Amino acid sequence: MKVRTRFAPSPTGNVHIGNMRAAIYNWLFARHMGGEFLLRVEDTDIERSTPEAIQALLDAMDWLGLDVDGEPLYQTTRQQAHLDAAEALLSKGMAYKEDKGGMGQGECVIFRMPGTDSSFVDGIKGELTKKAENMQDFVIVRSNGTPVFHLANVMDDIEQGITHVIRGDDHIENTFRHIALYKALGAEVPNFAHLPMITNAQGKPYSKRDGDAFVGDFREKGFLPEALFNYLTLLGWSPGDDREIMTREELVEAFTLERCQSSAAQVDLKKLTWMNGEYMLKLPNEEFEALAFQSLETAGIDAEPEYAEQVFKLIRERVKTVADIVPMVGFFFSDDFEYDEKAVKKKLLKDGVADTLGNMKTIFQGLDVFNAETADKALHDFVEESGLGFGAVMAPVRIAVSGVQSGPDLAPVLAVLGRNRVIARLDRALALFSA
RNA sequence: GACCCCUUCGUCUAGUGGCCUAGGACUCCAGGUUUUCAUCCUGGCAACACGGGUUCGAGUCCCGUAGGGGUCGCCA
């Protein structure tokens, strides 16, 4: 039988990172097995399920490259089928009506647990069992006539022909109920695999309060989808060898449920950032530039393409995330940049620095040609002639033209900025900081 | 509280009874390269939760303890 997995989120607009990892595992498993990956939108919460929220969900999946087979199933279209199933269960005596709790809310439909011990083999955790006395009957249709999650979920998984239900381990208890439902409904029980949860930097389960809980947050922070995908896959799974940076094809090829960890995993932003940097490095130049131009645009920076491309070449290898770009190149596009206070205090407000900057200005003005090579040579010559240390010359010049202590090679930076800008900035630094 | 699950370096993990004086990666630290910064290279720190078994031999199997987590809704 062909493997079919599914991702069944509630479209709330924000897709939780833990949910998205479950989606990734479902996708990976389906692709590995040559099966299908389906989407079911559990949109029965009318308040939160707006078209925008659904679109946001689809966008997040698209961004991560989780392609879906077939049309998505919208749970709201299935209500009648759910209710019919409840009727059938009722008529077979497998469910009963009751005014639960006697609260006068009216009668709801309650599923009768079979009263036998239950056990199943979880694809990740192994055999799981539960004694009959620890399982209670449960509501499948509310007194207001709407189906409850358990019924809807099972019915729709049957409808979509799901063979493998891969979900968070917070569903383990539900699984015993669901299995009983499958059997009562006369349907084949699918395979189940329960993923351990992932936790935040504090080692606690992700809550909606966590800043980085949603897929969109990672996108905004400048992470590449392929890097996030790779990282999330490795969080709780490993190929069994030492590979870490893996292409999507390699991940699909290597992915199996048996190699999934059965304990919770903690997200480590530092490692994600490292991995993202590796992916940034691998990006084809055109893609990097496209991303960079986009970042400048959203930051409201007007960039002349030819000039910008020179700038991008300078920072290309230093960027860890897309979000690094704008702060790194700001001074190339505007004279209105901040001076790093510490840097100024430590390097600029020193005796003799004003002379150094003044000398460099004169030297640069006197150059026949001003480019990376000549600027570099001028810098070196001056260091030698003056007997000043290298740091005593480079650092002040760098801070004067960029505001900060670190950045790409200084000479190329000067060359790209151009002589006029460099001299103007040296003048300004002289005026502002001559001690 | 009841039921269930989990436990290898700070973090992600390899490890399926001898190949483990426990390997890799991130982080961190030190040195080197770069006559600036970053990169890069080399090296280092650092773990089998604890206690009992079983066995010639246990990180690997069993039992218990502790700690962590999940679930106990007419939410999903």
Side-chain angles (χ1 to χ4, degrees), chain A residues 117-147:
Chain A
D117 294 355
S118 176
S119 111
F120 68 97
V121 178
D122 188 279
I124 292 170
K125 307 226 178 208
E127 181 165 5
L128 263 19
T129 59
K130 189 110 174 156
K131 292 209 176 65
E133 64 259 37
N134 293 322
M135 296 183 283
Q136 277 86 46
D137 296 352
F138 58 96
V139 175
I140 53 176
V141 179
R142 297 185 189 87
S143 52
N144 70 4
T146 58

